[in-house]
Amino acid sequence: MTWRIPAFSLLAVVAAGVVLADDSLTEQYRAPAEKLIQAAMADTDGYNRLAYLCYRIGNRLSGSVGLERAIAWSVEQMKEVGLSNVRVIPTKVPHWVRNSESARMLAPLDKPLHMLGLGMSIGTPPGGITADAVVVTNFDDLAKLGREKIQGKIVVYNYVFTNYGSGRNYRTSGASRAAALGAVAVLVRSATPLAMQTPHTGAMEYDEAQPKIPAAAITPEDSLMIARLTADGMPVKIHLEMGAQMLPDADSGDVIGEIPGREHPEQVVVIGGHIDSWDVGQGAQDDGASIMACLQALALIHKLGLQPRRTLRVAFWVNEENGTRGGEAYRAFVSGDLKNQVMALEMDGGAETPRGFGAGVDAKSLDMLKQIAKLLEPIGAGEISGGGGGEDISKLVSDGVVGMSERAAGTHYFDWHHSEADTLDKVNPEDFRKSVAALAVMSFAVADMPDRLTAGANGGRRGQ
């Protein structure tokens, strides 16, 4: 007997089939995702590890004793949670030391300025530098003033903060551009929207074709005060002392650990962040919370007995803040097997409330990720957008490896970024657990799903 299905019913079946196909990954990973989210939201071990890192080890600038303690401790932690192939990928890192530093306004009134030397800056001569300040709001202003008005002065960059990228430009190249016109030092308004008399440091770079002059960050309040005084015609004299110096490169390394894949152990999905931090604060949000969340994600996957098809690796990259040696060392480590690097995810935006992920993938892969992201909607982390990467994985991404990044709310990240205020209390335990959950679900699914992701539009670099 031949059955005939009415046309409208056939269309309904086909339509239903399309819906099921579009949600196939969602349904395939619903059960493990629910288990991982439940485990993550009940977990306390990850946050306790972050507390240890912040309160027992502290800040971790490249070349410091603190960083090397953190690396040794991280090896122990990866082994403790049951990861395999735990090792340190050795590399040399720059060793910049801040030493004592201060800045003071001498005229029109005598008062200390809140400052932090910029990373990689040279120090001042013994006894410091005393000079009049000249204020500019952008590089065009600097060029218009010319050598006649810049020669022998301390240039103050009182730019208008709109975003981190705009502020970073003055911090990074401001010293050399001022030095080209004869400036003796620069003070750069901190890259933060919050004025709380807290200076924010960060890396700067020298143009080798120009003289090297000292560079420091000052608070928005002090920058605005100096700008107003000079605009009113009041000469501002500043004394700057910085004991900063570069020492020979130090031995260091990236820390990695793995859950070997059950079918394709040679194929690797890596997630991580940078273990180094600036030498102020505790490096809690930048980037301690990220590396501890990534570690705890793998710890819970292993604890629940989930073994993906491909190898899942966690990496703590070194020297992100004042160099890229960790990312370069890791790229060299996988250089002979790039075809098996399935995806690299870097978390370097803090552990505020997670919103989802950015991914530099093609349209088909983006759809696959959106299916997985649906599983994260209960914790508010179900957004997927194009673009994804980071400083430490930038070389992998440029070589065609799929790049991803976790996206957090970022409401207050730049309030404490690179400052004394980057401390454990800024990391909300509930938000941290949500990040662990999001990372665990996404990384497990990408490492386990039948099809590999395909790179599309490359993501950008963010950090330092």
Side-chain angles (χ1 to χ4, degrees):
M1 183 175 184
T2 302
W3 292 89
R4 295 183 181 275
I5 302 175
F8 70 88
S9 298
L10 183 61
L11 289 173
V13 171
V14 172
V18 171
V19 171
L20 287 173
D22 285 349
D23 289 336
S24 59
L25 290 177
T26 307
E27 295 310 314
Q28 180 177 347
Y29 292 105
R30 186 176 299 280
E34 288 176 352
K35 290 179 182 179
L36 287 168
I37 291 173
Q38 183 178 16
M41 297 311 294
D43 180 70
T44 57
D45 290 344
Y47 195 85
N48 288 339
R49 285 191 176 89
L50 176 61
Y52 189 100
L53 179 67
C54 292
Y55 286 168
R56 308 284 187 92
I57 296 176
N59 54 58
R60 309 169 294 279
L61 186 60
S62 289
S64 69
V65 173
L67 175 61
E68 296 318 302
R69 286 184 58 208
I71 289 171
W73 174 78
S74 297
V75 169
E76 295 174 359
Q77 297 308 300
M78 289 188 189
K79 291 179 178 178
E80 184 177 290
V81 302
L83 300 188
S84 303
N85 302 320
V86 177
R87 74 199 90 169
V88 175
I89 302 170
T91 186
K92 292 282 189 179
V93 295
H95 191 184
W96 178 83
V97 181
R98 181 179 303 280
N99 293 321
S100 61
E101 57 184 16
S102 65
R104 191 173 195 90
M105 180 188 291
L106 303 180
L109 70 161
D110 187 348
K111 71 176 298 294
L113 300 175
H114 301 83
M115 63 83 75
L116 278 174
L118 293 179
M120 313 302 274
S121 173
I122 65 168
T124 60
I129 292 172
T130 300
D132 290 335
V134 57
V135 179
V136 298
T137 57
N138 53 50
F139 290 133
D140 288 339
D141 285 350
L142 180 74
K144 289 175 184 176
L145 288 174
R147 177 171 290 272
E148 182 180 350
K149 294 183 179 179
I150 298 297
Q151 182 81 38
K153 304 292 199 307
I154 294 177
V155 170
V156 177
Y157 285 103
N158 182 46
Y159 62 92
V160 177
F161 181 88
T162 55
N163 55 61
Y164 179 61
S166 65
R168 181 182 177 183
N169 290 335
Y170 296 99
R171 188 191 78 202
T172 304
S173 61
S176 289
R177 296 184 72 153
L181 298 174
V184 294
V186 297
L187 299 176
V188 183
R189 177 173 171 163
S190 290
T192 177
L194 184 67
M196 290 289 286
Q197 291 291 22
T198 302
H200 296 233
T201 189
M204 54 87 65
E205 299 172 2
Y206 285 117
D207 179 348
E208 295 299 326
Q210 304 299 335
K212 293 183 179 180
I213 60 175
I218 56 174
T219 61
E221 296 96 327
D222 286 345
S223 182
L224 289 166
M225 175 182 64
I226 296 169
R228 178 59 184 263
L229 288 170
T230 57
D232 288 345
M234 297 295 296
V236 175
K237 190 175 291 294
I238 294 173
H239 181 73
L240 177 67
E241 291 194 35
M242 293 173 58
Q245 63 181 138
M246 285 295 301
L247 299 177
D249 285 356
D251 292 321
S252 192
D254 303 326
V255 187
I256 63 172
E258 300 171 345
I259 299 175
R262 69 178 190 277
E263 291 182 11
H264 300 289
E266 76 284 358
Q267 296 180 14
V268 177
V269 169
V270 63
I271 70 172
H274 62 87
I275 190 171
D276 63 307
S277 76
W278 280 107
D279 57 334
V280 293
Q282 297 166 353
Q285 287 279 13
D286 187 21
D287 200 27
S290 299
I291 59 174
M292 290 298 104
C294 289
L295 173 59
Q296 200 60 22
L298 265 68
L300 293 179
I301 291 169
H302 177 72
K303 184 177 181 179
L304 291 174
L306 299 172
Q307 186 179 17
R309 282 184 172 86
R310 305 174 186 88
T311 293
L312 189 51
R313 177 182 292 161
V314 64
F316 295 177
W317 290 289
V318 74
N319 183 226
E320 189 271 350
E321 294 293 7
N322 61 343
T324 57
R325 305 282 184 86
E328 292 167 2
Y330 186 83
R331 170 61 182 80
F333 176 72
V334 301
S335 62
D337 201 26
L338 271 179
K339 68 180 186 300
N340 282 321
Q341 305 309 303
V342 174
M343 186 267 282
L345 185 155
E346 181 172 348
M347 182 177 173
D348 190 17
E352 291 183 77
T353 306
R355 298 301 187 204
F357 296 86
V361 293
D362 63 11
K364 179 183 177 182
S365 295
L366 192 63
D367 179 69
M368 293 161 62
L369 292 174
K370 286 180 178 180
Q371 292 182 55
I372 300 302
K374 288 180 182 179
L375 300 168
L376 299 175
E377 289 176 355
I379 59 171
E383 298 176 7
I384 293 290
S385 58
E391 194 74 29
D392 288 313
I393 64 173
S394 61
K395 295 189 183 305
L396 291 174
V397 172
S398 65
D399 285 334
V401 177
V402 171
M404 288 186 68
S405 55
E406 195 211 41
R407 299 281 168 82
T411 307
H412 297 288
Y413 184 70
F414 290 109
D415 293 352
W416 50 66
H417 180 254
H418 292 183
S419 78
E420 289 281 3
D422 186 6
T423 49
L424 179 65
D425 54 287
K426 308 305 188 305
V427 183
N428 180 283
E430 184 82 356
D431 288 342
F432 177 83
R433 286 192 284 269
K434 288 180 180 178
S435 286
V436 173
L439 290 163
V441 171
M442 183 57 70
S443 63
F444 173 76
V446 171
D448 188 73
M449 58 191 186
D451 295 329
R452 288 179 53 157
L453 300 175
T454 304
N458 286 338
R461 295 167 64 178
R462 178 185 182 181
Q464 295 194 39

